[in-house]
Each structure stands twice: as C-alpha cells, then as structure tokens.
C-alpha cells in the first residue's frame, strides 16, 4: 500500500491534458483562445439555423438541405483555400475570413429581426459561410505546426480539440435556452460579438508568410497536393475513414425531430451539446494520447465505435439513453480526431501543408455536409430513428472494410514512419537558419 500511494498522483497527472504547447508558444495561446471564442459563437448559429428553418418550413428535408447548399462551396473553396494557405500569409487570410464570418452573422441577425423572416437568406448565408470556412480552415490547420514544436504536436491536437469541445458544450446548451426563451436574434447577435473578440485576439499573432518552396495558387498546385496525398496510403486511410463515419452516421440535422419524437423538446440543446461534451471528456483526460504511437489503429477503432454509439442512440427510446450514447459517440470522435491530426501534422511537409489541409477539410467537412442530406432524406422515407440507427451500423461496417483494404493505415507507427522522420529533420533545419543568420550578423 505504501509503495503504490506515490504512484497515484503521477497516474492522475498522466491523464490530464499536456500543456507543453501552451507554455512554450505565446502565439499558440492566443490562437487557442481566439478559436475557443469563435467556436462558442459558431455553435450558437449551428443550433439556431436549423431550428429557424424547421420553424419556417416544418420539413426534415428542408433542414437537411443545408448540407446540400454548403457542399459545392466546401469542395471548390476547400481545395483552392489550401493553395492560398500555402502561397499567402496565413494570419492575414485567417483575419479576413473571420471578418467575413462576422458580416454573415450580422445578416442572419437582421433577417431574424424582420417581422416575417425569409427562408432563402438562410441558405445563402449557409453557402457563403461554407466558402469562408473552407478558405480559413486550411490556413488555420497549416499554422498550428509552425508555432508548435514537432514533439508537442500530439498534445497541441488534444488541446485544440479540447478548445473546440468547450465551445461545443457551452454553445449548443446555451443556444437551446437562448432560442427558446430569448429568440433567434440573440443567438445570432452573440455569434457576431464572438467574431469581433476573436479577430481582436488574432491581430496580435505574428505574421506567417508562405514557405520559400511554396507554389503559387493554381490548378497545378492543387493537383500536386492531390498527387502527394494519393502517394500516402495511410493518409488516404484517415480521409476515407472520417468521410465514411461522417457521411453515414452524422445525425445532427435530425436532432430537432428526434427530440419531438421522444416528447422531449426541452432536450434539444442537450442533444446538440452531448457530442462535444463527450469529446471534452477525452480532451480533459487526454494526457495519454501523447504516449500512443500506433495512430492509424486508434483512428479505425474509434471511428467504428462512433458508428455503433450512434446506432444505439437511434434504437434507444429513452431521452437520457440517447444523451448517453451521443456522449459516447462524441468521445470516440474526439479520439479519432486527435490521432488523425497528429498523423497529418507530423508527416506532411510545410510547403504542402495548406493544400493537404484543404484535402483534410473535405474529408471531415464533406462527410457531415452530405450526411445531413443523407439523414434528412432517409428520415423522410423511413422515419427519424431508423435513419439514425441504420447510419450508425453502416458506418461501423464501412470502417471495418476500409481497414481491410488499407493495411498501411493499420501499420502506421510515428516512431518508424519515414515521413515523420523527414518532417522532423526539415523542422530542425528550418529552426537552425535564423540562429545561423544571427551568428553571422554578430560576427
């Protein structure tokens, strides 16, 4: 008993988030807080927009159509946004797109305050927002590896995911209350305010110019990035697994209708918050992720469990069980996201990072976008709960099949990966250049 006692605090510390990236990089801290505030506001709109369309149309297909109008901008601007992120100053690109998102929130607010709000502006704003996010995300995703040490990237991925889940839990939970008791205008207004605060924090981040080897934004540059991704079968595996999981088992568009079927309209905000809450639980105990090296296996396992948890949520007839399974699903999704991000950030060269981030954006955004259309269409034909549980089972089966077809993903180990070793060497060489220049100047 005496020998085991001192080990307990150490074990507990091993579960807590690794704060090394936060302590080592001031820009990481600023970007983290900026992203958390912006995410909080975005989740307010994420809940308010489908609720408003439901109120105006009373149609599950109309709510699912949000995904359809977001799809084309997502594909076009995601790929081109990746090329822009490689060729331009990443910080400026992020700031301009943040300002554009704030303007769209203002448009939603104005429409919500009209005596008779129109439906078509909601779809227009959803499409434009999809375009701006598609340009911004590759710049954000390619900026993290620059401001965080290579060995801290898994910990940074965990902290970034934790940041998202803090806003994801608080935003939807609060949005359910705000929309029900204060109105949609308050949700959109709060989102606008968060974009203002987020941009103010981001202004203080150091400039992030393009790498010397970066190609100019063009179709040829996009094709070059796609060829590199195709040559990396373990990366293809992460894209394919996430695409399958999100397309087949993303039921968020159906939650307003699921709450109605369960006679628990009060639970809608909790349903939206359950997935990010589960993710937050993993983020708060994510210290263990830095000690895992077989990232590909973790991606496959957690994606399959996500599907099974969603299937259970569709079968459950009790609202508290639905909330429990959505929470479990969120935990699994977080684990998958942490290890996908670690694989991407530790193995992709800096000059290709933006374009590969654009492809990553498609893998984790096109899936949910198409998933809204799939789930809405299935619900219109076969019922809400059948759409949810069938999608979860299809997800688990598809992930298992992909694991068999892409053995490179299952074999991936960051300790032995030649690509991870090459990026480590590249970063060491890049870090040594300023020191050499300073020494020469002093001489």
């Amino acid at each position: 008993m005496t020998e085991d006692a001192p080990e307990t605090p150490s074990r507990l510390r091993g579960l807590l988030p690794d704060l090394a990236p936060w302590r080592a990089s001031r820009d990481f801290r600023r970007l983290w807080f900026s992203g958390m505030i912006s995410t909080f506001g975005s989740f307010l709109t994420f809940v308010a927009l489908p609720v408003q369309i439901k109120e105006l149309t009373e149609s599950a297909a109309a709510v699912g159509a949000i995904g359809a109008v977001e799809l084309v901008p997502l594909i076009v601007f995601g790929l081109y946004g990746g090329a822009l992120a490689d060729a331009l100053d990443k910080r400026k690109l992020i700031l301009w797109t943040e300002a554009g998102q704030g303007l769209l929130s203002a448009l939603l607010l104005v429409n919500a305050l009209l005596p008779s709000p129109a439906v078509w502006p909601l779809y227009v704003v959803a499409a434009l927002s999809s375009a701006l996010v598609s340009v911004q995300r590759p710049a954000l995703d390619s900026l993290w590896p620059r401001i965080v040490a290579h060995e801290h990237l898994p910990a940074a991925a965990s902290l970034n995911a934790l940041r998202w889940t803090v806003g994801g839990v608080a935003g939807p939970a609060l949005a359910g209350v705000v929309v029900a008791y204060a109105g949609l205008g308050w949700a959109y207004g709060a989102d606008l305010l968060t974009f203002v605060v987020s941009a103010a924090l981001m202004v203080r981040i150091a400039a992030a110019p393009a790498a010397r080897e970066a190609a100019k934004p063009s179709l040829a540059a996009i094709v070059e990035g796609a060829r590199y991704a195709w040559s990396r079968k373990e990366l293809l595996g992460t894209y394919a697994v996430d695409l399958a999981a999100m397309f087949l088992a993303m039921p968020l568009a159906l939650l307003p209708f699921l709450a109605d079927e369960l006679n628990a309209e009060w639970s809608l905000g909790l349903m939206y918050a359950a997935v990010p809450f589960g993710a937050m639980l993993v983020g708060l105990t994510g210290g263990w992720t830095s000690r895992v090296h077989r990232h590909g296996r973790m991606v496959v396992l957690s994606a399959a469990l996500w599907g099974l948890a969603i299937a259970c949520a569709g079968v459950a007839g009790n609202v508290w069980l639905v909330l429990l399974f959505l929470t479990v699903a969120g935990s699994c999704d977080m684990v998958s996201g942490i290890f996908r991000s670690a694989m991407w950030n530790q193995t992709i060269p800096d000059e290709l990072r933006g374009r590969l981030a654009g492809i990553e954006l498609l893998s984790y955004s096109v899936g949910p976008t198409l998933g809204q259309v799939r789930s809405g269409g299935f619900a219109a034909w076969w019922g809400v709960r059948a759409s949810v549980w069938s999608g979860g089972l299809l997800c688990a089966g598809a992930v298992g099949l992909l694991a068999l077809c892409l053995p490179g993903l299952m074999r991936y180990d960051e300790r032995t990966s030649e690509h991870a070793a090459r990026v480590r060497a590249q970063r060491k060489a890049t870090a040594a250049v300023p020191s050499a220049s300073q020494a020469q100047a002093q001489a």
Side-chain angles (χ1 to χ4, degrees):
M1 184 115 179
T2 349
E3 293 177 2
D4 291 343
E7 294 180 8
T8 305
S10 174
R11 288 174 183 167
L12 289 175
R13 281 195 299 271
L15 288 175
L16 295 176
D18 184 353
L19 299 180
W22 209 341
R23 290 191 292 263
S25 172
R26 181 174 55 188
D27 280 348
F28 178 83
R29 293 193 297 272
R30 286 173 177 164
L31 201 57
W32 192 92
F33 279 113
S34 170
M36 184 182 72
I37 292 167
S38 179
T39 300
F40 180 87
S42 297
F43 269 106
L44 289 172
T45 296
F46 180 75
V47 173
L49 191 64
V51 167
Q52 187 173 20
I53 292 177
K54 175 182 177 291
E55 288 180 354
L56 295 174
T57 66
E58 289 298 330
S59 166
V63 175
I66 297 174
V69 301
E70 291 174 341
L71 181 59
V72 173
L74 188 62
I75 295 172
V76 174
F77 289 95
L79 291 173
Y80 191 66
L84 287 174
D86 279 336
L88 303 177
D89 186 303
K90 295 172 177 56
R91 187 193 65 135
K92 288 182 180 177
L93 196 56
I94 294 167
L95 275 171
W96 279 109
T97 50
E98 196 80 353
Q101 288 280 67
L103 179 60
L104 293 180
S105 295
L107 293 176
L108 288 174
L109 174 60
V110 170
N111 183 62
L113 295 178
L114 293 175
S116 299
V119 175
W120 66 264
L122 305 181
Y123 290 111
V124 171
V125 168
L128 292 175
S129 177
S130 175
L132 287 174
V133 169
S134 301
V135 172
Q136 184 185 78
R137 285 302 294 267
L140 274 171
D141 290 345
S142 57
L143 181 58
W144 295 113
R146 276 202 182 185
I147 62 179
V148 174
H150 186 85
E151 63 274 15
H152 293 160
L153 286 174
S158 182
L159 288 173
N160 286 336
L162 176 61
R163 175 213 76 202
W164 177 84
T165 57
V166 168
V169 171
L174 181 61
V177 176
V178 170
V179 170
Y181 295 101
L184 292 160
W186 283 94
Y188 295 138
D191 189 17
L192 172 60
L193 180 61
T194 62
F195 280 120
V196 173
V197 177
S198 170
L201 281 170
M202 218 174 290
V203 166
R204 303 185 64 193
I205 293 170
R212 289 190 297 273
E213 306 86 354
K216 292 181 179 178
S218 64
L219 180 60
I222 294 172
V223 170
E224 181 189 4
R227 282 177 179 162
Y228 177 82
W230 183 258
S231 71
R232 297 278 310 280
K233 300 307 184 216
E234 73 279 20
L235 286 186
L236 282 180
T238 65
Y239 303 150
V241 165
D242 191 47
L243 187 63
M246 296 297 102
F247 171 64
L248 294 169
M250 177 53 77
L252 296 186
L254 299 181
L255 294 186
F257 301 93
L258 184 59
D260 284 351
E261 282 204 6
L262 296 171
N263 296 316
E265 292 83 357
W266 55 268
S267 69
L268 178 59
L270 294 177
M271 285 187 182
Y272 276 115
V275 171
F277 177 70
M280 186 179 71
L281 294 179
V282 173
L284 290 172
T285 57
W288 60 273
T289 58
S290 299
R291 299 189 293 276
V292 175
H293 306 288
R294 305 296 292 267
H295 298 163
R297 291 186 178 183
M298 294 301 295
V299 169
V300 169
L301 176 63
S302 52
L305 291 175
W306 151 272
L308 293 176
I310 292 296
C312 291
V315 170
N318 179 281
V319 66
W320 295 107
L321 283 177
V322 170
L323 292 171
L324 173 63
F325 288 125
L326 289 176
T327 301
V328 172
S331 299
C332 297
D333 187 45
M334 167 66 97
V335 173
S336 176
I338 288 173
F339 290 108
R340 289 197 314 270
S341 179
M343 286 179 67
W344 298 337
N345 291 334
Q346 287 187 329
T347 65
I348 297 173
D350 187 59
E351 66 273 13
L352 287 166
R353 192 68 191 86
R355 279 164 285 175
L356 270 292
I359 296 172
E360 293 156 20
L361 174 70
L362 296 185
S363 78
Y364 60 69
S365 298
V366 168
T369 303
L370 286 175
Q372 292 187 72
V373 180
R374 184 212 67 81
S375 61
F378 272 48
W381 296 331
W382 299 326
V384 171
R385 292 174 63 186
S387 176
V388 175
W389 65 254
S390 63
L393 291 181
L394 287 171
C395 164
V399 169
L401 185 60
L402 287 168
L404 291 175
C405 296
L406 294 166
L409 176 62
M410 298 297 286
R411 289 196 303 264
Y412 176 83
D413 188 326
E414 58 96 9
R415 296 167 297 187
T416 57
S417 167
E418 59 176 308
H419 302 287
R422 190 176 298 122
V423 170
R424 275 193 295 268
Q426 181 190 50
R427 294 197 63 176
K428 284 179 183 176
T430 305
V433 171
S435 303
S437 305
Q438 288 170 5
Q440 189 176 8
Q442 288 173 357

